[in-house]
């Protein structure tokens, strides 16, 4: 079998083989070019603390030890900021021995500052599912900035399946860029494609700072919230830098216009935790065709979800903040990102999530 990230057609086949299971039919747009959206189940459990079950326990057993109360998600429910919830997902797995999986928040989830992580039974790490895993999946959900409305079937996270190790080395990345440019201009490559911050901008807004004490955001409703009720625009002021306030959430954008060719997928990972006290990009999956000419992208900026940690921190224009790791696809997807999918973020610049008008 071909190594690499499983494509949309292969994910459909996995349902037929019983590798992926769900109690109800898939949503029409649930399968992405290189991933599957995961749907919230019937209930959410508010728990005292985040946890990993460890080798000896299932997630359900830990929920029973830590739960404060149970919330019915079928009619819709508000999840409050500062609380930790565990939600059984509709999808479960029975993976063969040669397929593993990893998960990440969806782009819109990250742009809402909703902290999510998938947990499997007996797991000792978040967002990873080992080869051959058979059992349920759960989502830890912790809204950080805005209270949210969710319901059974809401999609906050996504899962990628891979067979073998298909990550590109730096040498292979350089060769790929020579064939199909990954960024406009010369790339910076070191353990992946380096991504830097744009604090000059082409317009009158270079970013957004989230407001506190806002109304709720319904994660399933598009263009339902007024931008200025939730966000403070950040405008250029002569200096191409920004001071991140501790525990504030920012939406910024990369300086580079990124391309992901059709036979590859990418993931944004931390650049180096030693370069500064901030976190960038909760949502890390970049699908085949993102920003690619063949899918109508002509280069797309990477929108960066940024949060400072314990101290104020200065970000300067052009500072490296993340890196894109590229992997080969097992086969080319039937549909690329942005092609006939109504993708929200193709050919994007600085852009908030689809919930704001």
């Amino acid at each position: 079998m071909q190594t690499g990230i499983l494509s949309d057609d292969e994910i459909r086949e996995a349902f037929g083989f019983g590798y992926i299971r769900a109690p109800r039919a898939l949503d029409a747009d649930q399968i992405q070019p290189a991933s599957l959206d995961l749907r919230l189940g019937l209930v959410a459990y508010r728990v005292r603390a985040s946890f990993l079950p460890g080798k000896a326990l299932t997630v359900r057993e830990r929920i029973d030890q830590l739960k404060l109360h149970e919330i019915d998600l079928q009619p819709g429910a508000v999840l409050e900021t500062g609380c930790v919830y565990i939600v059984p997902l509709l999808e479960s797995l029975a993976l063969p021995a040669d397929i593993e999986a990893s998960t990440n928040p969806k782009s819109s989830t990250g742009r809402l500052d909703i902290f999510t992580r998938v947990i499997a039974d007996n797991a000792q790490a978040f967002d990873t599912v080992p080869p051959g895993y058979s059992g349920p999946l759960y989502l830890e959900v912790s809204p950080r900035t805005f209270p949210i409305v969710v319901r059974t079937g809401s999609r906050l996270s996504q899962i990628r399946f891979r067979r073998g190790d298909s990550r590109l080395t730096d040498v292979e990345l350089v060769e790929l860029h020579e064939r199909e440019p990954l960024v406009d201009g010369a790339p910076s490559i070191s353990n992946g494609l380096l991504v830097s911050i744009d604090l000059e901008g082409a317009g009158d807004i270079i970013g957004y700072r989230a407001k506190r004490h806002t109304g709720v955001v319904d994660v399933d409703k598009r263009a339902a919230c007024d931008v200025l009720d939730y966000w403070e625009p950040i405008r250029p002021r002569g200096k191409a830098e920004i001071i991140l306030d501790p525990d504030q959430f920012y939406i910024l954008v990369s300086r580079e216009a990124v391309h992901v060719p059709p036979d590859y997928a990418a993931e944004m990972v931390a650049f180096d935790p030693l370069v500064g006290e901030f976190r960038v990009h909760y949502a890390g999956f970049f699908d085949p065709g993102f920003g690619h000419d063949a899918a109508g992208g002509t280069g797309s900026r990477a929108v960066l979800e940024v949060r400072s940690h314990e101290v104020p921190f200065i970000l300067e224009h052009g500072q490296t903040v993340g890196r894109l790791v590229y992997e080969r696809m097992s086969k080319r997807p039937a549909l690329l990102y942005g092609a006939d999918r109504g993708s929200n973020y193709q050919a994007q610049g600085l852009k908030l999530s689809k919930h704001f008008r």
Side-chain angles (χ1 to χ4, degrees), residues 183 188-198 253-256 258 267-273 275 278-281 284 286 302-306 315 318-326:
V183 293
S188 297
I189 294 176
S190 177
N191 292 322
L193 177 69
L194 300 186
V195 175
S196 62
I197 198 98
D198 182 5
V253 72
S254 71
R255 187 175 60 166
E256 298 81 8
V258 175
E267 181 177 0
M268 178 78 81
V269 297
F271 169 56
D272 185 343
V275 301
F278 63 95
R279 172 184 176 136
V280 172
H281 217 281
F286 288 65
V303 168
L304 305 169
E305 301 106 21
V306 180
L315 276 181
Q319 184 170 342
T320 300
V321 293
R323 56 192 174 92
L324 278 176
V325 174
Y326 283 73

Side-chain angles (χ1 to χ4, degrees), residues 4 21 49 69 108 127 158 196 207 209 265 341:
R21 302 168 180 172
H69 60 266
S108 295
D127 286 330
Q158 55 195 157
S196 62
R209 181 188 294 108
R341 289 182 179 272

Side-chain angles (χ1 to χ4, degrees), residues 1 8 38 84 93 102 108 119 123 135 159 168 212 227 231 239 279 305 310 332-333 341 354:
M1 301 290 287
D8 46 10
L38 297 171
V84 180
L93 302 177
S102 60
S108 295
I119 317 172
I159 188 168
L168 271 63
R212 300 286 192 176
V227 168
W231 299 95
K239 287 186 176 181
R279 172 184 176 136
E305 301 106 21
E310 303 300 327
R332 180 175 289 205
R341 289 182 179 272
K354 61 189 177 184

Side-chain angles (χ1 to χ4, degrees), residues 136-149:
L137 297 173
Y138 300 81
L139 189 67
E140 176 189 322
V141 183
S142 183
R144 302 293 304 276
T145 295
F146 311 124
I148 59 173
V149 175

